[in-house]
Amino acid sequence: MSAHVDIPPVNDLRTELLKISLESLTRDGNSSSLAQRARIVCSDPETRQNIDRAAKELEASDVPVAFPTETVYGLGADATRSAAVRNIFAAKGRPADNPLIVHVHSIAQLGSLLQPDKDEGSKNDGREKSDGEAILPPIYRPLIKRFWPGPLTIILRNPEGSHLAKEVTAGLTTFGARMPSHPVALALLQTSDRPLAAPSANASTKPSPTTAAHVLHDLNGRINFILDGGPCGVGVESTVVDGLSDPPTVLRPGGVSLEMLKNVEGWQNVVVGYQDAAGGKDDKPKAPGMKYKHYTPKASVILFEAGLSPPTLEEIEARCTKSGNIGVIRTASWPGLHTSGRIIPVEDAALATSSNGAASSAGEEIHATLYQIQQTDDSTLRTIWDIELGKKADHVAKGLFAALRLLDLKNVDAIFVEGIDDTTGDAAAAVMNRLRKAAEIKT
Ligand code: TXA
Ligand code: MG
């Protein structure tokens, strides 16, 4: 693995959650034009003030700001300023050779990044107006019309004399860009009017954060502000596509599926350019981030491919190595645990149900139910935390990272996960890709 940036992470900041009223953020027009779809207006003074504070922080300091997107929370900084971008890497402990995605609020803003910085003296900072659409490679135009704002990242050529800080691209000649659809992300981008480089707001190697509480857990003391917009809707990161290659390639599966891409003009032949399993033979993947250890809770994860029966009690007990706690994540068809012999539900409701969304406002939390494994000799206490994510791929995507994080908080030794069919549902391939990277796989 390569070198980390050499500035030490700041641990002495007082991280604040900034409240957002999602209902107060509305689109400034209805759907037909992309520019209108992405324009956000705010009717709540407190929300307005908090977005302004975050925007001011991005402008006046080099400390990154965490904000919700429709996929996962991002950790953003002005993509045109090296000092600010370096602090993203420092706060996360991210390897410096893993490039960042640049978030934009408009095609015009993206267009200004595709033009070189002609006059270094009066440095254009990515705010200049231009006809972005005209300088976008034609292959991307129908794609953007269909999926932006939304969970799709496109790879573009970085021009000579780019406005982007060199740390954003980590030495590549290309950069990734996306226009997020989350109203808080769009409002922040519009208010700051700067392109924001933003990776997921987790500590490097941990599962991506889908609530403000997850961000706080990983980055407390390292940043000043987290905009708290409640849980993210998609739950897995954006799909990364490279339309500069022939045929066009998916570099990372995400919120937009292969099937959805294939329905777009010029994308019928799109191919998969990523590998699922960790440590595959292709050790130079085209999306550099895909080679790193990722999505890993402390516990070992045992992934059962779709259609396999649940683990037996013996298999579960064999994994009780330290704490004696085990996690189970069920999806499409594994039955509830209480049906099987020595496993009994723990009656105390207060003990039995728990969630990790606590610090985040909205009510969609992950619940884990506690069971005890009865021992014949009564010597050790062994327990199972059981989580049901639902049958649909999109529900599994939405809850997956929160479930892995919650089980880590429960200090489980191992997590058994029921896999899903990776061909059904928009986010199914993304879910299985993340799990296969985190897990030992049972087929
Ligand atoms: O949904 C998302 O994409 C979230 C939210 C915050 O927008 N962001 C995110 O960023 O997941 P991050 O840094 O965790 O993942 C970025 C991925 C990495 O796999 C990286 O290697 C790839 O995008 N990437 C970035 N720039 C690239 C480039 N020029 N060429 C190929 N891959 C690139
Ligand atoms: Mg990430």
Side-chain angles (χ1 to χ4, degrees):
M1 216 181 263
S2 71
H4 288 241
V5 284
D6 51 8
I7 38 177
V10 240
N11 264 315
D12 51 359
L13 301 176
R14 290 192 41 207
T15 309
E16 252 184 274
L17 293 187
L18 302 181
K19 248 176 71 186
I20 294 291
S21 150
L22 279 182
E23 308 76 59
S24 76
L25 296 169
T26 48
R27 278 167 223 282
D28 182 21
N30 53 28
S31 77
S32 64
S33 98
L34 173 55
Q36 282 193 336
R37 285 206 300 273
R39 195 91 222 146
I40 301 294
V41 286
C42 177
S43 61
D44 170 49
E46 190 189 2
T47 298
R48 178 73 268 161
Q49 202 180 35
N50 283 339
I51 290 170
D52 289 348
R53 272 179 94 186
K56 184 90 195 140
E57 173 89 346
L58 291 167
E59 190 183 330
S61 89
D62 290 330
V63 181
V65 168
F67 60 95
T69 82
E70 71 282 15
T71 57
V72 300
Y73 274 71
L75 184 64
D78 182 344
T80 66
R81 290 201 345 262
S82 283
V85 174
R86 278 202 300 270
N87 279 341
I88 295 177
F89 288 87
K92 280 178 61 89
R94 181 178 174 107
D97 68 348
N98 190 1
L100 308 178
I101 293 171
V102 179
H103 296 66
V104 296
H105 62 65
S106 66
I107 302 294
Q109 191 184 37
L110 178 59
S112 72
L113 296 176
L114 295 173
Q115 289 173 328
D117 192 357
K118 289 195 206 88
D119 178 5
E120 280 286 334
S122 60
K123 193 167 162 58
N124 173 332
D125 58 2
R127 287 198 247 186
E128 180 182 281
K129 286 264 171 285
S130 74
D131 182 4
E133 174 127 18
I135 44 176
L136 267 185
I139 178 111
Y140 287 129
R141 291 179 203 158
L143 206 62
I144 281 173
K145 268 204 186 88
R146 171 79 180 76
F147 297 115
W148 275 13
L152 179 77
T153 296
I154 62 174
I155 300 298
L156 293 156
R157 247 175 233 105
N158 198 28
E160 282 290 320
S162 167
H163 306 293
L164 295 174
K166 64 180 192 310
E167 291 79 2
V168 171
T169 56
L172 297 178
T173 55
T174 54
F175 70 100
R178 93 174 181 98
M179 188 191 293
S181 67
H182 197 290
V184 176
L186 283 171
L188 181 65
L189 282 160
Q190 280 155 18
T191 307
S192 69
D193 198 18
R194 277 147 212 278
L196 297 181
S200 48
N202 50 291
S204 193
T205 81
K206 292 293 158 207
S208 292
T210 54
T211 68
H214 297 160
V215 180
L216 187 65
H217 178 271
D218 283 16
L219 301 182
N220 196 6
R222 298 180 174 212
I223 57 176
N224 286 316
F225 299 127
I226 302 170
L227 287 168
D228 183 357
C232 301
V234 177
V236 288
E237 302 87 343
S238 62
T239 303
V240 180
V241 294
D242 182 0
L244 305 177
S245 63
D246 187 17
T249 310
V250 178
L251 303 184
R252 178 177 73 179
V256 173
S257 70
L258 195 65
E259 291 317 303
M260 290 161 87
L261 292 170
K262 281 184 175 164
N263 284 327
V264 175
E265 187 198 333
W267 289 79
Q268 293 82 354
N269 300 324
V270 60
V271 294
V272 166
Y274 61 86
Q275 287 188 329
D276 275 351
K281 56 183 180 314
D282 180 4
D283 56 10
K284 203 161 187 298
K286 296 187 192 87
M290 298 299 275
K291 74 171 180 275
Y292 289 108
K293 191 169 168 227
H294 228 130
Y295 317 114
T296 44
K298 282 181 281 176
S300 47
V301 178
I302 306 114
L303 171 66
F304 285 49
E305 290 286 344
L308 294 181
S309 320
T312 62
L313 193 51
E314 290 66 39
E315 278 177 277
I316 290 176
E317 287 190 301
R319 295 284 179 155
C320 292
T321 48
K322 283 190 240 135
S323 69
N325 301 317
I326 292 294
V328 174
I329 298 177
R330 295 181 292 114
T331 59
S333 59
W334 287 1
L337 291 178
H338 53 280
T339 49
S340 40
R342 285 200 287 124
I343 300 175
I344 53 165
V346 172
E347 299 295 338
D348 182 347
L351 234 187
T353 301
S354 180
S355 74
N356 68 340
S360 175
S361 47
E364 296 186 57
E365 294 169 355
I366 292 292
H367 292 282
T369 309
L370 183 62
Y371 295 85
Q372 195 178 325
I373 307 176
Q374 283 190 311
Q375 301 299 305
T376 38
D377 63 359
D378 234 13
S379 56
T380 42
L381 182 65
R382 287 176 169 177
T383 59
I384 301 176
W385 288 99
D386 175 52
I387 295 176
E388 193 192 354
L389 291 181
K391 293 189 195 310
K392 290 173 79 178
D394 297 352
H395 291 164
V396 177
K398 190 168 174 174
L400 179 65
F401 291 147
L404 294 173
R405 282 175 171 269
L406 177 56
L407 292 172
D408 251 1
L409 290 179
K410 300 301 174 197
N411 198 26
V412 300
D413 294 327
I415 303 171
F416 290 91
V417 187
E418 179 188 5
I420 59 174
D421 178 348
D422 61 13
T423 61
T424 57
D426 295 341
V431 163
M432 289 308 284
N433 168 263
R434 307 307 187 263
L435 280 169
R436 287 171 184 143
K437 283 183 180 297
E440 97 194 39
I441 303 170
K442 198 172 146 111
T443 52

